[in-house]
Amino acid sequence: MTSPSDFELRRRERRRRERLRKKRIRAAILLIAIIGVIVLICVSFSTHSQKNEQSGNQEIDLTEVTQAPEEQVIPTVPPAVNPGIPSASDENNLLQILEESGQTKHVYLTFDDGPTDNITPQVLDVLRRYNVKATFFEVGSLIQANPDMARRVHEEGHLIANHSEGHNYEKLYASTETFINEVNECYETIKSITGDENIFKLVRFPGGSYNSSADSYAPVKQECKVTLSEYGFYYCDWNALNGDAEGKTKNAQELFDYMIENLDSQNNVVVLMHDAATKQATVESLPMIIEYFLNNGYTFHRLDDISYQSSMTTSSSNSVSESNVEEGDSDNDSETSNQSSDSSSDSDGNESNDESDKNNKESKSNNNTSNTTITTPKPAYPPESEGGPIIIN
């Protein structure tokens, strides 16, 4: 038989278990509440982060929209498929060809002594922003040292031209043979990097090709011009420059001012600049230079983009047309004379016609002779070597 003490013990055990069960329930509820709070905090934090990212993206988009008009200044005229310029074997001075082309308001930006991994990409960024195409006279050894940058120049639509293999004056101008060997070596490098077997054969003499008494290499340079012609190469100097290789180092504003002060009123402007490793100021002055030409009605082109219409050819065709008009007038006068006077003899008429034909032929000959005279203008600026160019060994 169960004693009262046994009942009391069992009652106390039941109460203990009930209290323990309630504690577990409260602990479980508290744990669930803590987990819920943690989840809620995480969700709130994630939502806030997403909102910040979206807000940042909207600000970037607004900035891009604001800057977009500056990047779309003018469309660039694509290079002519067939420029129609004289063959290099006949006339290989491209600056002279440009001056005789009949074009108006054309500007050709050129950059020497690259490519480099610090300045060339900045130049390309500025050109891309303004949708401007240019010509890069690159050194063969630097193309091999920076092949990716040379490819970018080509892929972004600019012309890569020849600036010798090593840019070492002493080695390059030792003889016409050493010169043409470096030119050919650089040309092969350009072909390999661009994949273009028919790249425009254009050279710029390191230091310029000017026949200056101050340039000790000038005599061999003049011989090299003939050698280039024999190998089908054009060469091109410049008739404007920003002075980034002239005298003391200049800042961006000084480079721009230098170009404006020395700029003549040419219809075809070839601007000399450099994308060598030390030419940071050139990058900074480039937007000012581009905007100056834009504001003055110029269009930008590569040096293989020449719409050639020789002024000599135009003049000759005009003189022939005038002569034809005179012949027509003479025939009309003769016809009228014959109708008004029946007493004129056939012999007199023939003599008169023969004399008229003779005079017309002499007139044509004189006109053609006067129009075939070409005066080669002197260069507008001193050779680059006088300004102390950087020689790359």
Side-chain angles (χ1 to χ4, degrees):
M1 188 172 178
T2 305
S3 64
S5 60
D6 292 335
F7 282 110
E8 184 64 23
L9 289 173
R10 284 197 293 270
R11 186 177 64 84
R12 288 178 181 179
E13 180 66 20
R14 284 196 300 271
R15 286 180 180 179
R16 187 184 67 79
R17 290 177 182 175
E18 184 68 19
R19 287 195 299 270
L20 184 60
R21 185 178 65 83
K22 290 180 179 180
K23 286 182 180 179
R24 289 175 178 172
I25 292 173
R26 285 195 297 268
I29 293 172
L30 181 60
L31 180 61
I32 292 171
I34 292 172
I35 293 173
V37 171
I38 293 173
V39 170
L40 183 61
I41 292 172
C42 292
V43 171
S44 300
F45 181 78
S46 176
T47 304
H48 183 69
S49 298
Q50 289 178 357
K51 288 182 179 179
N52 287 340
E53 289 179 2
Q54 290 175 357
S55 177
N57 291 336
Q58 289 176 355
E59 289 179 1
I60 293 172
D61 292 340
L62 288 174
T63 304
E64 291 176 353
V65 170
T66 303
Q67 293 179 349
E70 294 182 2
E71 297 181 357
Q72 298 177 359
V73 179
I74 58 162
T76 302
V77 179
V81 176
N82 182 10
I85 62 176
S87 168
S89 59
D90 298 326
E91 171 60 81
N92 67 337
N93 184 347
L94 197 65
L95 186 61
Q96 179 71 28
I97 291 171
L98 280 169
E99 291 170 350
E100 296 174 356
S101 66
Q103 297 179 147
T104 57
K105 294 285 188 179
H106 282 51
V107 60
Y108 299 83
L109 302 182
T110 68
F111 299 89
D112 287 13
D113 300 349
T116 56
D117 59 0
N118 62 330
I119 300 299
T120 304
Q122 295 183 70
V123 170
L124 291 173
D125 289 343
V126 175
L127 295 176
R128 182 171 55 185
R129 175 150 53 93
Y130 285 93
N131 194 24
V132 164
K133 296 297 180 283
T135 300
F136 288 76
F137 286 93
E138 297 189 343
V139 179
S141 59
L142 291 180
I143 294 175
Q144 295 176 22
N146 301 286
D148 291 339
M149 191 52 57
R151 288 190 191 93
R152 180 182 168 188
V153 171
H154 176 70
E155 289 169 358
E156 293 192 8
H158 307 288
L159 175 65
I160 298 180
N162 196 315
H163 202 41
S164 81
E165 182 63 23
H167 204 284
N168 184 311
Y169 288 22
E170 186 175 355
K171 294 179 181 179
L172 178 64
Y173 298 126
S175 66
T176 56
E177 183 179 0
T178 58
F179 176 82
I180 198 62
N181 284 344
E182 281 209 27
V183 167
N184 282 328
E185 187 176 354
C186 182
Y187 182 66
E188 292 301 320
T189 301
I190 294 172
K191 285 200 302 182
S192 66
I193 210 72
T194 61
D196 186 355
E197 289 295 321
N198 298 310
I199 197 84
F200 189 53
K201 300 180 78 172
L202 176 62
V203 175
R204 173 167 285 167
F205 285 75
S209 74
Y210 300 109
N211 192 9
S212 170
S213 58
D215 184 359
S216 60
Y217 299 107
V220 72
K221 287 180 180 179
Q222 309 319 303
E223 297 175 6
C224 290
K225 292 178 182 179
V226 179
T227 305
L228 284 176
S229 177
E230 293 171 353
Y231 280 81
F233 283 96
Y234 297 92
Y235 69 93
C236 188
D237 292 310
W238 56 89
N239 55 19
L241 70 169
N242 69 349
D244 61 359
E246 307 290 318
K248 68 172 187 176
T249 302
K250 303 174 181 63
N251 62 33
Q253 186 63 49
E254 289 171 334
L255 292 177
F256 175 73
D257 293 340
Y258 186 94
M259 190 201 73
I260 299 302
E261 289 169 5
N262 294 280
L263 186 64
D264 292 332
S265 56
Q266 301 112 325
N267 269 318
N268 294 278
V269 183
V270 180
V271 185
L272 169 66
M273 293 176 281
H274 295 80
D275 61 333
T278 60
K279 305 302 179 182
Q280 182 63 42
T282 297
V283 175
E284 296 166 2
S285 69
L286 186 54
M288 292 187 284
I289 291 173
I290 291 174
E291 289 176 11
Y292 170 82
F293 284 110
L294 287 174
N295 293 335
N296 284 275
Y298 284 82
T299 56
F300 293 85
H301 304 265
R302 301 171 8 155
L303 277 171
D304 60 348
D305 177 14
I306 304 173
S307 180
Y308 186 76
Q309 247 184 342
S310 173
S311 56
M312 183 184 72
T313 304
T314 305
S315 178
S316 298
S317 63
N318 288 339
S319 66
V320 172
S321 298
E322 290 174 2
S323 180
N324 289 337
V325 170
E326 290 175 0
E327 287 180 2
D329 291 343
S330 177
D331 292 342
N332 290 336
D333 291 344
S334 176
E335 214 173 83
T336 304
S337 176
N338 288 333
Q339 289 175 354
S340 61
S341 177
D342 293 337
S343 61
S344 297
S345 66
D346 291 339
S347 60
D348 290 338
N350 290 333
E351 287 175 5
S352 177
N353 289 336
D354 291 342
E355 187 175 351
S356 176
D357 290 343
K358 182 179 179 181
N359 290 336
N360 288 331
K361 289 177 181 177
E362 289 177 355
S363 175
K364 285 182 187 178
S365 176
N366 291 335
N367 285 334
N368 289 334
T369 302
S370 64
N371 286 325
T372 54
T373 303
I374 300 175
T375 303
T376 303
K378 296 180 180 179
Y381 300 97
E384 182 185 0
S385 57
E386 291 183 27
I390 298 172
I391 298 177
I392 302 174
N393 293 320

